[in-house]
Amino acid sequence: MTRTLIAGGTCVTASDTFVADLWIENGKIVALTAPSQRAALGQPDLTLDATGKYVIPGGIDCHTHMSLPFGGTTASDDFDTGTVAAAHGGTTTIVDFAIQSKGSSLRAGLDAWHAKAEGNAAIDYGFHMIMTEANAETLEGMAALVREGVTSFKMFMAYPGVFLVDDQQIFRAMLRAGELGALITMHAEIGLPIDVLVQRALDQGHTAPVYHALTRPEVAEATGTERALALAEMAKVPVYMVHLSAQRALERVMEARDRGLPAFAETCPQYLFCSEDDLRGPPGGDEWQGAGYVCTPPLRPAHHHDHLWRGLRNYDLQVVATDHCPFCMKDQKELGRGNFSKIPNGMPGVETRLHLLWEGVREGRISMNRFVEITATAPAKIFGLYPRKGTLAVGADADVVIWDPELQKRLGVDTLHMNVDYSPFEGKVVTGTPAVVLSRGEVIVQNDLWVGKTKQGRGQFLKRGTFNL
Ligand code: URP
Ligand code: ZN
Ligand code: ZN
């Protein structure tokens, strides 16, 4: 048994900030004690000095797409490269989206995702299940998944012919989720009219990446959000809106929450830091570069940023996840040159989430405690991982980050570990970065280097609990 001491750091949880020694045994946090008591507590095998640094729970990214087949290609990070990158950025748990292919079973989809992750993931992981059909068989099959710890399901109002399900199917799945204690998560953009706008733009000869945003207006997301909230209200179940990008969708969530409904929502760093302008390419430069910023919902005009930050500060938004879904510019985004609708949708982000959000702390947009809450504690609570994950507490897994608030890092393809040939934040210098990352008590990243004894396969599948907020 290794006894590890993280000595004298400033521990930050969702609720408290305090200087303490954090003791780890058998992969668990076993004590949080005053540094003055250190001598009485015996010798550790390993001491990590955290003086002058923050000690925070490892990040939980509850929205990733490793090896997602999409748009005629496959997301370029797999469970190996993607989880190693996550760890370098201070994230120690991901919840990835398994897919039920149309005409196939939930079981087959889940088995396929287990096969992708097992033996490859470097950090712990769980799964949501994307449901592309809510028929008698899949509704029945939800129960087995919930028993196995896959307790949340994603449904799409977008992507007709691929993922889109109609309101009746969504409603049936919501009722079933209510019976099982599962959570429905929604991609809430109304895809049928969007497809008409896309076709019209192409007919008019508009092919550049920015038309991805111009054909998916804010109102399409606001309307989808309102509809999803209404269906959840009728079904009397909680609902979680994924990747919320814009002011009006946020206002729909706020109204629902103000009426006491159990409505939850996440946003993503790209909606807080990037904008529709990025989709136009560099000023006076190559408009094709905008392809690197094509994700869905699309990036919005920059005035939305303040609304989303305010939503995070005021508890109207509960989580920041990444929707990590990287595609290389070469060979992948390239598929949509000359036709924006064929650009694979998604952006890299699993490694840079904490770096970027810490900028929000430095700018006074959110407190350190709120930073911990939206990156770790709230996703753990909403998705049935708490208190094993998401906080610093006796008995919790020792997924811990020693965060150096002064150390600078330049974000770029050459400094990051994601398997993708560009960075949306190329050249951006951030202040604050993980000095040490521990997963279940093992030091896996130190000074931006992988130092874990093993890498691929050390991550464990997490059987998540049912919804209980
Ligand atoms: O652009 C995105 N978001 N790609 C991943 C699929 C999704 O809708 O989450
Ligand atoms: Zn989505
Ligand atoms: Zn996604």
mmCIF file of all heavy atoms in Angstrom, residues 63-65 68 97 154 156 187 242-243 266 296 323-325, ligand 3:
data_model
loop_
_atom_site.group_PDB
_atom_site.id
_atom_site.type_symbol
_atom_site.label_atom_id
_atom_site.label_comp_id
_atom_site.label_asym_id
_atom_site.label_seq_id
_atom_site.Cartn_x
_atom_site.Cartn_y
_atom_site.Cartn_z
ATOM 1 N N HIS A 63 -19.195 14.939 -21.620
ATOM 2 C CA HIS A 63 -19.661 14.969 -23.009
ATOM 3 C C HIS A 63 -18.465 14.831 -23.944
ATOM 4 O O HIS A 63 -17.847 15.826 -24.350
ATOM 5 C CB HIS A 63 -20.425 16.279 -23.282
ATOM 6 C CG HIS A 63 -21.138 16.305 -24.606
ATOM 7 N ND1 HIS A 63 -22.281 17.051 -24.822
ATOM 8 C CD2 HIS A 63 -20.893 15.683 -25.774
ATOM 9 C CE1 HIS A 63 -22.695 16.887 -26.064
ATOM 10 N NE2 HIS A 63 -21.855 16.059 -26.667
ATOM 11 N N THR A 64 -18.129 13.581 -24.280
ATOM 12 C CA THR A 64 -17.053 13.353 -25.258
ATOM 13 C C THR A 64 -17.518 12.346 -26.306
ATOM 14 O O THR A 64 -18.467 11.582 -26.089
ATOM 15 C CB THR A 64 -15.770 12.804 -24.586
ATOM 16 O OG1 THR A 64 -16.016 11.484 -24.078
ATOM 17 C CG2 THR A 64 -15.295 13.710 -23.458
ATOM 18 N N HIS A 65 -16.819 12.356 -27.435
ATOM 19 C CA HIS A 65 -17.129 11.435 -28.547
ATOM 20 C C HIS A 65 -15.835 10.831 -29.064
ATOM 21 O O HIS A 65 -15.310 11.246 -30.100
ATOM 22 C CB HIS A 65 -17.803 12.195 -29.694
ATOM 23 C CG HIS A 65 -19.118 12.812 -29.360
ATOM 24 N ND1 HIS A 65 -20.267 12.087 -29.237
ATOM 25 C CD2 HIS A 65 -19.459 14.107 -29.132
ATOM 26 C CE1 HIS A 65 -21.294 12.900 -28.955
ATOM 27 N NE2 HIS A 65 -20.814 14.139 -28.880
ATOM 28 N N LEU A 68 -15.951 8.608 -32.661
ATOM 29 C CA LEU A 68 -17.341 8.688 -33.152
ATOM 30 C C LEU A 68 -17.364 8.614 -34.676
ATOM 31 O O LEU A 68 -16.732 9.437 -35.350
ATOM 32 C CB LEU A 68 -17.974 10.014 -32.707
ATOM 33 C CG LEU A 68 -19.381 10.270 -33.263
ATOM 34 C CD1 LEU A 68 -20.415 9.427 -32.520
ATOM 35 C CD2 LEU A 68 -19.758 11.750 -33.171
ATOM 36 N N PHE A 97 -20.307 9.013 -25.346
ATOM 37 C CA PHE A 97 -21.618 8.648 -25.897
ATOM 38 C C PHE A 97 -21.515 7.395 -26.765
ATOM 39 O O PHE A 97 -20.974 7.435 -27.870
ATOM 40 C CB PHE A 97 -22.179 9.802 -26.738
ATOM 41 C CG PHE A 97 -22.693 10.939 -25.898
ATOM 42 C CD1 PHE A 97 -21.840 11.926 -25.452
ATOM 43 C CD2 PHE A 97 -24.032 11.010 -25.539
ATOM 44 C CE1 PHE A 97 -22.300 12.967 -24.660
ATOM 45 C CE2 PHE A 97 -24.510 12.048 -24.746
ATOM 46 C CZ PHE A 97 -23.634 13.024 -24.306
ATOM 47 N N LYS A 154 -29.130 9.953 -24.714
ATOM 48 C CA LYS A 154 -29.210 11.196 -25.496
ATOM 49 C C LYS A 154 -30.127 10.984 -26.683
ATOM 50 O O LYS A 154 -30.061 9.956 -27.368
ATOM 51 C CB LYS A 154 -27.820 11.620 -25.995
ATOM 52 C CG LYS A 154 -27.862 12.924 -26.820
ATOM 53 C CD LYS A 154 -26.482 13.419 -27.255
ATOM 54 C CE LYS A 154 -26.596 14.669 -28.116
ATOM 55 N NZ LYS A 154 -25.318 15.141 -28.673
ATOM 56 N N PHE A 156 -31.871 13.160 -30.191
ATOM 57 C CA PHE A 156 -31.576 14.284 -31.085
ATOM 58 C C PHE A 156 -32.852 14.787 -31.759
ATOM 59 O O PHE A 156 -33.600 13.991 -32.329
ATOM 60 C CB PHE A 156 -30.624 13.850 -32.203
ATOM 61 C CG PHE A 156 -29.213 13.604 -31.779
ATOM 62 C CD1 PHE A 156 -28.860 12.428 -31.128
ATOM 63 C CD2 PHE A 156 -28.213 14.528 -32.057
ATOM 64 C CE1 PHE A 156 -27.546 12.180 -30.755
ATOM 65 C CE2 PHE A 156 -26.896 14.288 -31.692
ATOM 66 C CZ PHE A 156 -26.562 13.111 -31.036
ATOM 67 N N HIS A 187 -30.230 16.925 -27.584
ATOM 68 C CA HIS A 187 -29.668 17.829 -28.594
ATOM 69 C C HIS A 187 -30.871 18.547 -29.201
ATOM 70 O O HIS A 187 -31.613 17.974 -29.995
ATOM 71 C CB HIS A 187 -28.897 17.038 -29.652
ATOM 72 C CG HIS A 187 -28.276 17.912 -30.697
ATOM 73 N ND1 HIS A 187 -26.966 17.777 -31.097
ATOM 74 C CD2 HIS A 187 -28.767 18.934 -31.430
ATOM 75 C CE1 HIS A 187 -26.689 18.681 -32.024
ATOM 76 N NE2 HIS A 187 -27.778 19.382 -32.258
ATOM 77 N N VAL A 242 -27.862 19.309 -23.645
ATOM 78 C CA VAL A 242 -26.424 19.277 -23.930
ATOM 79 C C VAL A 242 -26.015 20.487 -24.772
ATOM 80 O O VAL A 242 -26.850 21.133 -25.407
ATOM 81 C CB VAL A 242 -26.018 17.976 -24.670
ATOM 82 C CG1 VAL A 242 -26.168 16.771 -23.764
ATOM 83 C CG2 VAL A 242 -26.801 17.792 -25.945
ATOM 84 N N HIS A 243 -24.775 20.791 -24.744
ATOM 85 C CA HIS A 243 -24.109 21.843 -25.549
ATOM 86 C C HIS A 243 -24.993 23.056 -25.887
ATOM 87 O O HIS A 243 -25.159 23.412 -27.053
ATOM 88 C CB HIS A 243 -23.463 21.268 -26.807
ATOM 89 C CG HIS A 243 -24.311 20.352 -27.659
ATOM 90 N ND1 HIS A 243 -25.603 20.626 -27.994
ATOM 91 C CD2 HIS A 243 -23.998 19.172 -28.262
ATOM 92 C CE1 HIS A 243 -26.058 19.661 -28.771
ATOM 93 N NE2 HIS A 243 -25.107 18.760 -28.937
ATOM 94 N N GLU A 266 -25.872 22.187 -19.948
ATOM 95 C CA GLU A 266 -24.420 22.380 -20.025
ATOM 96 C C GLU A 266 -24.117 23.316 -21.187
ATOM 97 O O GLU A 266 -24.864 23.357 -22.177
ATOM 98 C CB GLU A 266 -23.694 21.040 -20.252
ATOM 99 C CG GLU A 266 -23.775 20.588 -21.695
ATOM 100 C CD GLU A 266 -23.163 19.236 -22.042
ATOM 101 O OE1 GLU A 266 -22.894 18.412 -21.163
ATOM 102 O OE2 GLU A 266 -22.982 19.014 -23.260
ATOM 103 N N THR A 296 -21.783 21.642 -33.817
ATOM 104 C CA THR A 296 -23.232 21.803 -33.773
ATOM 105 C C THR A 296 -23.744 21.680 -32.355
ATOM 106 O O THR A 296 -23.376 20.699 -31.698
ATOM 107 C CB THR A 296 -23.904 20.713 -34.642
ATOM 108 O OG1 THR A 296 -23.325 20.787 -35.947
ATOM 109 C CG2 THR A 296 -25.381 20.915 -34.754
ATOM 110 N N ASP A 323 -17.950 18.399 -25.383
ATOM 111 C CA ASP A 323 -18.420 17.895 -26.675
ATOM 112 C C ASP A 323 -17.214 17.595 -27.574
ATOM 113 O O ASP A 323 -17.243 17.831 -28.784
ATOM 114 C CB ASP A 323 -19.364 18.904 -27.344
ATOM 115 C CG ASP A 323 -20.190 18.281 -28.445
ATOM 116 O OD1 ASP A 323 -20.105 17.052 -28.640
ATOM 117 O OD2 ASP A 323 -20.914 19.029 -29.138
ATOM 118 N N HIS A 324 -16.165 17.096 -26.930
ATOM 119 C CA HIS A 324 -14.916 16.784 -27.651
ATOM 120 C C HIS A 324 -15.202 15.826 -28.810
ATOM 121 O O HIS A 324 -15.617 14.688 -28.616
ATOM 122 C CB HIS A 324 -13.930 16.136 -26.670
ATOM 123 C CG HIS A 324 -12.634 15.705 -27.266
ATOM 124 N ND1 HIS A 324 -11.649 16.594 -27.648
ATOM 125 C CD2 HIS A 324 -12.143 14.470 -27.564
ATOM 126 C CE1 HIS A 324 -10.610 15.931 -28.130
ATOM 127 N NE2 HIS A 324 -10.893 14.637 -28.098
ATOM 128 N N CYS A 325 -14.977 16.286 -30.022
ATOM 129 C CA CYS A 325 -15.291 15.496 -31.214
ATOM 130 C C CYS A 325 -14.378 15.997 -32.332
ATOM 131 O O CYS A 325 -14.801 16.700 -33.251
ATOM 132 C CB CYS A 325 -16.774 15.694 -31.560
ATOM 133 S SG CYS A 325 -17.367 14.555 -32.824
HETATM 134 ZN ZN ZN B 3 -21.813 15.809 -28.616
#
